[in-house]
Amino acid sequence: MKIGVTGANGFIGGHLLDCLLKAGHAPVALVRNPAKVSVPAVEVVPMPTIDGNSDVAALQSALSGLDAVVHLAASVHDMTGSQSEDAYRSINVDGSVRLFEAAIAAGMKRFVFMSSAKAAGERSQGRPLSADNAPGPEDAYGRSKRDAETALRRLASGSACRLVILRPTFVYGWPPVGNFRTLLKTILKGLPLPLAAIDNRRDLTYVGNLADAACRACSAADLGNTPYFICDGKAVSTPELIRNVARAFARPARLIYMPVWLLRLCGTVSRRSAMIDRLTEDFEVDSAPFHRDAGWQPPYNMAEGLGACAAARQNDRLGGA
């Protein structure tokens, strides 16, 4: 299949292009800056900016000849909260709708939308979240992904272009970005983390697993347009995650004990309650429907994913990066 990837220059994009190549597909990087595409043997097509002001005809021209597209380009989650609701909506909702309209006009067979588990909420409260749960996003980014899912599913009704929605949990991999980058830097510096008392369960997603799932989503015959959660398949506690990362990078896990109530009090005082909630609460999802409908299993466990990150870091260091 000839498969386009928007946001191909991003964190997930490079992994997905490589995965598509290895699976025997013909990936096409749909990017604003073709010079930044680093994966070899990939066709590159210049892509207009995707937002609420995009011209559908111009997007359709860029999509011409493709069998499917994986839409990764998005305004990503901003931990500082500086991104406005309107900015998220223009790119993540309105832009995605315009791209899907272009895909339909181009006669495309499949549109894979990379949503987020944040579209469902931030906590599972003792029972894994499933597509049957009413979405409860708690920030502008999560709301934009929820609203994009709703709008795309409405467009897909009666369309010949099949919509597949993926909701990955927290994604980690190399190069490190976001919270994983912060955690890794802390561990590599040998700084203590007062998180030993936390006893929670959180699902995470190695980027290699997500790329493989997105690749499978492009061709699996029995997928519906109900959102599918994606994760590694084995939830871990926050202290377990820290120990696993430390072990992979041959560093000590400097965990110290602080009562969870005191962590939360510190979060309130420092106005970082949301961050403390993510560290202390459960967030498990039900990924079984994707396994069943796509005939898919994650190819990597966490130890293998983190080991690949450590090996990539070593290669970067040897290469002078």
Side-chain angles (χ1 to χ4, degrees), residues 23-24 40 71 74 76 147 167 206 209 245 267 286 298 308:
H71 183 33
V76 299
D147 293 347
R167 285 178 173 175
Y206 172 53
N209 287 334
V245 174
D286 180 9

Side-chain angles (χ1 to χ4, degrees), residues 1-3 24-27 67-68 109-110 218-219:
M1 294 176 66
K2 193 171 185 179
I3 301 172
H25 295 296
D67 299 303
K109 299 175 183 176
R110 188 164 301 204
C218 290
S219 59

Side-chain angles (χ1 to χ4, degrees), residues 44-311:
V44 180
V45 173
M47 189 73 174
T49 297
I50 303 173
D51 59 21
N53 297 314
S54 297
D55 180 71
V56 173
L59 294 176
Q60 179 185 345
S61 178
L63 299 178
S64 178
L66 298 178
D67 299 303
V69 65
V70 181
H71 183 33
L72 301 178
S75 181
V76 299
H77 184 236
D78 176 18
M79 292 295 295
T80 67
S82 61
Q83 185 82 291
S84 72
E85 194 106 18
D86 287 344
Y88 277 123
R89 183 166 190 87
S90 177
I91 296 172
N92 295 351
V93 183
D94 300 337
S96 298
V97 166
R98 287 179 179 265
L99 185 68
F100 193 33
E101 290 173 340
I104 293 171
M108 194 171 296
K109 299 175 183 176
R110 188 164 301 204
F111 187 101
V112 179
F113 177 63
M114 191 62 68
S115 184
S116 167
K118 283 182 171 290
E122 297 283 355
R123 64 208 83 233
S124 56
Q125 298 178 326
R127 184 175 182 180
L129 294 177
S130 74
D132 294 331
N133 294 110
E138 297 183 15
D139 60 18
Y141 172 76
R143 288 188 290 272
S144 73
K145 288 296 190 179
R146 175 204 59 192
D147 293 347
E149 291 179 3
T150 301
L152 293 176
R153 291 177 72 184
R154 190 179 301 120
L155 271 176
S157 179
S159 167
C161 182
R162 178 175 292 185
L163 171 67
V164 179
I165 299 171
L166 303 182
R167 285 178 173 175
T169 56
F170 176 90
V171 182
Y172 65 96
W174 196 267
V177 297
N179 287 337
F180 181 63
R181 183 172 185 268
T182 301
L183 174 62
L184 182 57
K185 287 176 66 176
T186 301
I187 291 172
L188 292 176
K189 289 179 179 178
L191 299 177
L193 290 162
L195 308 176
I198 298 172
D199 182 17
N200 61 347
R201 307 299 296 169
R202 296 188 70 86
D203 276 315
L204 288 80
T205 308
Y206 172 53
V207 68
N209 287 334
L210 180 55
D212 195 75
C215 179
R216 181 63 181 154
C218 290
S219 59
D222 296 327
L223 293 175
N225 66 2
T226 300
Y228 289 103
F229 287 100
I230 306 296
C231 65
D232 288 347
K234 184 179 180 181
V236 296
S237 68
T238 298
E240 283 178 304
L241 171 61
I242 292 168
R243 293 187 187 100
N244 288 342
V245 174
R247 185 180 303 112
F249 285 83
R251 293 290 195 279
R254 301 190 185 280
L255 287 163
I256 59 177
Y257 186 90
M258 178 182 287
V260 173
W261 67 265
L262 184 54
L263 280 172
R264 289 179 174 152
L265 177 60
C266 291
T268 300
V269 172
S270 63
R271 297 183 179 180
R272 295 182 178 179
S273 293
M275 182 186 74
I276 298 301
D277 287 346
R278 282 189 290 272
L279 288 171
T280 59
E281 295 185 349
D282 293 339
F283 191 70
E284 295 182 271
V285 301
D286 180 9
S287 60
F290 188 74
H291 298 175
R292 178 194 65 223
D293 295 351
W296 180 83
Q297 291 294 327
Y300 306 96
N301 60 35
M302 178 173 283
E304 291 167 335
L306 291 173
C309 292

